[in-house]
Amino acid sequence: MLEPESLVIYGFALAIPAVYLTYRHFYVPSRATPQPASEPTRKPLKSIMQAPREDLAPPKDDPYTTEELKQYNGSNRNLPIYVAIKGTIFDVSHKSDVYGPGRSYSIFAGKDGSKGLGMSSLKPEHAIADYSGLDEKDRKVLDDWHSFFSKRYNIVGKVVDPPTSSL
Ligand code: HEM
C-alpha cells in the first residue's frame, strides 16, 4: 500500500507530462491581441501543430463500417488514409508522413481510436472507438481533437456501426 505522500508525488509525476503534452499539442498563439507599446515585445510560443485550413470541402455523410474503414490505413497506396473520431471520418491523406504505416500516429489510421486520443495514449489497446470509460477531462481532450481535425481535414463520412456504449 502506498503512503499518501507517495501518491501525491506520483500524481504530480503523471500530471505534469500530461498537462505539458496537452499544452504543446493545442497551444495556438494569439495574433488578435497586440501588446501595448510600453510593454516589452513578447515572442509568441510557436505551435508545433499544423495551422487550420480555409479550403476544406463541405462535409460528406457517406456510411462506412468499421470493417470497411480498415483498408484506409495507408497500407494500400492507391487508397486515401482515414482517421475516425467519435464516428466522424477524416481524410488525413496529405499527412501520410504522420499517419502512414510505421509513422508516429499510424495507430489511429483506418479506425476510430477515440479512446486513445482522449487518454493521450498511443497504446494499441487504447486505440478503440468505445470511449464510454473516459472521465470528463479525457472527454474534453477527445472533443478538442475532434475540433482540431474538423478544422484541418475533410470529413468524408461516418462510421455506421460504432460500439453502442460509446454513443
Ligand atoms: C513526448 C510525446 C509527444 C511529442 C513530443 C509529440 C509531438 C508532436 C508533434 C511535433 C506533432 C506535430 C506533428 C506534425 O504535424 O507533423 C504532434 C501531433 C500530434 N500528436 Fe503528438 N506528441 C507526443 C505525444 C502524443 C501522444 C501520446 C498522442 C496520443 C493521442 C499524440 C497525438 C498527436 C496527434 C493526433 C497529432 C496531430 C497530427 C496531425 O494530424 O497534425 N501525441 N505531436
Side-chain angles (χ1 to χ4, degrees):
M1 196 48 195
L2 285 173
E3 297 296 320
E5 293 81 4
S6 317
L7 281 175
V8 171
I9 292 167
Y10 282 127
F12 270 112
L14 288 173
I16 290 167
V19 169
Y20 174 74
L21 275 182
T22 309
Y23 176 72
R24 286 295 293 173
H25 275 119
F26 288 111
Y27 179 79
V28 180
S30 161
R31 293 183 197 89
T33 37
Q35 300 292 322
S38 55
E39 287 220 353
T41 327
R42 258 177 277 146
K43 221 178 161 190
L45 252 180
K46 213 171 161 295
S47 172
I48 54 172
M49 313 302 284
Q50 54 170 315
R53 280 174 54 188
E54 307 284 337
D55 59 344
L56 292 175
K60 290 205 268 180
D61 211 17
D62 295 351
Y64 290 81
T65 63
T66 302
E67 196 53 40
E68 283 167 344
L69 196 56
K70 282 184 188 167
Q71 62 190 312
Y72 301 99
N73 66 355
S75 53
N76 182 342
R77 285 175 165 271
N78 298 317
L79 292 177
I81 306 179
Y82 292 164
V83 165
I85 304 174
K86 294 178 84 172
T88 310
I89 304 174
F90 300 92
D91 184 342
V92 300
S93 303
H94 73 273
K95 292 289 272 182
S96 58
D97 57 327
V98 173
Y99 297 102
R103 299 306 184 131
S104 325
Y105 301 123
S106 61
I107 189 67
F108 298 118
K111 69 170 80 150
D112 186 323
S114 291
K115 187 177 181 185
L117 282 170
M119 294 173 71
S120 302
S121 165
L122 297 172
K123 287 189 180 164
E125 65 267 33
H126 291 149
I128 56 171
D130 182 1
Y131 59 89
S132 60
L134 296 185
D135 62 20
E136 209 181 313
K137 182 176 60 61
D138 288 352
R139 277 175 196 246
K140 165 81 171 67
V141 173
L142 177 58
D143 286 345
D144 285 346
W145 278 122
H146 191 282
S147 157
F148 174 90
F149 276 68
S150 300
K151 289 176 194 149
R152 289 159 179 86
Y153 299 110
N154 286 323
I155 294 175
V156 291
K158 60 173 186 218
V159 186
V160 284
D161 60 347
T164 44
S165 52
S166 72
L167 295 175

